[in-house]
Amino acid sequence: MSAIFSPRPVTPPTDFDRPVQGSHHATMVRIQDLLENGFPLMSFPTDLEEAFQRDALPARERHFLISSLISLLIYNGYLLADQLMIPDMLWLAAQLRLLVFTPIALLSLFLFWRGFHPFHRLMPLALVDVLMLLGGVGAAASLAIVMPLSESPMVHFFPVGYMVVITYGNVVSRMRFWYALTFTSIMLGIVVASVMSQETFPPRLLWPISSMVISVALFTLCANYFMERDERRRFLRTLRERSLVRDLTQAHARLKDISRIDTLTGLHNQKHIQQHLNLVWERAWRDRSALSLLLIDIDHFKKFNDRYGHTAGDECLQKVARVLQDGLRRPADVVARLGGEEFLVVLPNTDASFANGVAERLRQAVESLQVRHESSTTARHMTVSVGVVTCQAHPDLLVDTLMQRVEQALQQAKSEGRNRVCGRAA
């Protein structure tokens, strides 16, 4: 099915790096602003609007071809309704449906599918909407031609058929909102003209039929608006995510050129974790998400080195590093050795409750190693103190300030007796 109905592409697939102009940061700020404040007029700034239209075009072209063929079958199937409601005009209705509208529609669809449509170059991005609008108006026009010529007593209920055409245009065909609004206005004008053309139209039917048509028009127009709004939001989120992935890829490539691994423990070193923290912080600010840091210090590690020697101290650091690494269960969580006996854990998109739970689990994991430490005044085995800080990222809070807060939390854990977790908000 997809091979048969896939139209020849008018433009190449959207390159998300290409259509957005200006600095990358400024573009991301615009996207975030659109997501937060909305776009009630169903329009983006020029470069983003073009990117949105080009990105959606292939799927919309395929949907247009399939939905148009199905709707054409249903349209001709309504000859049965014509036979029941306007039997005196059945032959004219059949001529209009089968010999006029259907051949023109099929020819237009064929030219569109083959990429030869005369309007392709004039309106490559709006062609689908224009053809949908013209098709809907053409279908309504065939009804409007027949209605005033019929003398059937059932002809007064014929305007109800316009509701089907309006539903097709606003919901099934998925016209863009402003085209749908134009189409709906034209349709209501045709309905008014059709009713006025009936000199014998019963007044008692005027309000019921008019209210039904207007209600369908308004409801379907609202549905069209919300569908396009949701589609535009998905596009912005996708654009943002792809951009963030590109940022992470570029950052990863840059980090390959520098030494980023602590040779003793195999963890990331301080240089890497600083760059990683800046990147995570920027992403948290864009997403308005929480970020948590854990600063871990081995209790009385200097006394351990003095009593057991530096070789035993290195082995102790390696054991602690493995426990910390194994204790992180999410791919985005990162642990690094800052130097000496301090370790930093970065937990993106993590609230205070979850962060404290991770900290307590890591503390218990280190304690369960049961590394003998007779010089410790805290316990007879190796323990750690953990400082935790959680914040909601915002422009006025700096990464350096966040590090100061987590250091203060660690100092509080030490002052309260060590081998514990202390947390605070940034």
Side-chain angles (χ1 to χ4, degrees):
M1 179 69 76
S2 61
I4 296 175
F5 293 110
S6 296
R8 295 185 176 181
V10 179
T11 55
T14 302
D15 179 355
F16 281 94
D17 295 334
R18 176 175 54 81
V20 180
Q21 302 173 354
S23 70
H24 175 64
H25 178 71
T27 300
M28 295 305 295
V29 169
R30 285 193 301 164
I31 291 175
Q32 187 64 37
D33 180 68
L34 288 169
L35 286 172
E36 292 181 352
N37 300 321
F39 30 87
L41 298 181
M42 289 296 120
S43 179
F44 296 148
T46 304
D47 53 342
L48 288 175
E49 182 67 26
E50 182 179 354
F52 168 70
Q53 297 292 351
R54 290 188 182 279
D55 179 69
L57 187 59
R60 297 192 74 228
E61 288 178 335
R62 182 175 181 273
H63 174 79
F64 166 66
L65 285 172
I66 297 175
S67 64
S68 296
L69 289 176
I70 295 175
S71 299
L72 195 59
L73 291 174
I74 297 174
Y75 168 77
N76 288 314
Y78 265 82
L79 280 171
L80 178 61
D82 294 338
Q83 183 181 9
L84 296 174
M85 301 180 69
I86 50 172
D88 56 334
M89 290 290 109
L90 179 61
W91 175 239
L92 177 59
Q95 287 180 311
L96 290 173
R97 290 179 186 270
L98 298 175
L99 301 180
V100 178
F101 183 82
T102 297
I104 293 175
L106 289 175
L107 177 61
S108 182
L109 289 174
F110 176 78
L111 294 176
F112 179 83
W113 173 54
R114 300 300 297 176
F116 300 142
H117 203 284
F119 295 149
H120 249 147
R121 292 188 177 182
L122 294 177
M123 49 184 70
L125 299 180
L127 180 59
V128 171
D129 294 290
V130 171
L131 291 180
M132 290 176 181
L133 189 150
L134 293 177
V137 172
S142 67
L143 304 181
I145 292 174
V146 175
M147 183 177 172
L149 300 177
S150 176
E151 296 181 357
S152 169
M154 298 292 291
V155 73
H156 304 126
F157 298 94
F158 207 62
V160 176
Y162 291 117
M163 294 191 298
V164 179
V165 182
I166 293 174
T167 301
Y168 162 77
N170 290 349
V171 179
V172 179
S173 69
R174 303 178 188 174
M175 272 189 283
R176 295 302 182 203
F177 174 73
W178 290 110
Y179 285 93
L181 182 61
T182 303
F183 170 73
T184 302
S185 301
I186 295 174
M187 289 298 302
L188 292 179
I190 292 176
V191 172
V192 171
S194 298
V195 172
M196 293 181 63
S197 68
Q198 291 287 318
E199 297 180 357
T200 60
F201 195 91
R204 70 179 183 276
L205 294 179
L206 181 61
W207 170 242
I209 292 179
S210 299
S211 63
M212 283 192 294
V213 174
I214 294 174
S215 297
V216 168
L218 293 177
F219 288 150
T220 56
L221 197 60
C222 288
N224 177 279
Y225 182 91
F226 292 131
M227 285 191 297
E228 182 175 345
R229 182 199 63 182
D230 293 342
E231 182 184 358
R232 287 176 176 272
R233 284 179 175 172
R234 287 194 298 270
F235 169 77
L236 291 175
R237 292 191 184 102
T238 301
L239 187 61
R240 182 181 63 181
E241 290 303 316
R242 292 190 183 183
S243 182
L244 292 174
V245 169
R246 186 192 66 181
D247 288 347
L248 291 172
T249 302
Q250 292 176 347
H252 180 71
R254 289 194 300 267
L255 290 174
K256 286 183 178 180
D257 298 330
I258 64 174
S259 175
R260 56 186 183 135
I261 299 298
D262 177 66
T263 56
L264 177 63
T265 62
L267 300 178
H268 296 296
N269 61 18
Q270 184 174 9
K271 182 182 292 186
H272 169 79
I273 200 63
Q274 286 176 341
Q275 296 186 10
H276 177 75
L277 180 55
N278 287 330
L279 188 62
V280 171
W281 175 256
E282 182 179 354
R283 181 170 185 175
W285 177 77
R286 290 172 181 170
D287 295 345
R288 300 295 191 267
S289 60
L291 172 66
S292 294
L293 298 183
L294 277 57
L295 187 58
I296 303 171
D297 183 83
I298 300 177
D299 295 327
H300 309 292
F301 186 72
K302 184 178 182 302
K303 294 180 179 180
F304 184 93
N305 273 336
D306 293 342
R307 184 177 184 90
Y308 301 104
H310 290 283
T311 300
D314 290 345
E315 292 177 354
C316 175
L317 288 171
Q318 291 170 348
K319 291 179 181 179
V320 172
R322 283 195 296 270
V323 165
L324 296 180
Q325 184 68 67
D326 294 342
L328 300 180
R329 300 171 181 174
R330 302 184 304 179
D333 298 340
V334 175
V335 59
R337 183 189 178 198
L338 295 184
E341 67 273 21
E342 281 192 343
F343 300 86
L344 180 67
V345 179
V346 180
L347 304 175
N349 196 24
T350 302
D351 59 21
S353 177
F354 189 90
N356 280 281
V358 173
E360 182 59 24
R361 186 175 69 245
L362 296 179
R363 186 198 66 79
Q364 293 177 6
V366 172
E367 190 172 21
S368 66
L369 289 173
Q370 292 294 307
V371 176
R372 190 175 182 83
H373 189 356
E374 297 177 344
S375 298
S376 173
T377 57
T378 301
R380 306 306 294 175
H381 49 267
M382 183 66 67
T383 59
V384 293
S385 299
V386 186
V388 182
V389 65
T390 300
C391 72
Q392 192 75 25
H394 58 84
D396 296 331
L397 184 61
L398 302 177
V399 174
D400 291 340
T401 304
L402 195 61
M403 288 299 300
Q404 291 175 6
R405 301 287 171 79
V406 75
E407 288 174 359
Q408 292 170 0
L410 176 61
Q411 291 302 319
Q412 180 182 350
K414 290 181 177 182
S415 65
E416 291 180 3
R418 302 178 189 267
N419 191 24
R420 68 188 63 235
V421 174
C422 286
R424 63 170 58 190

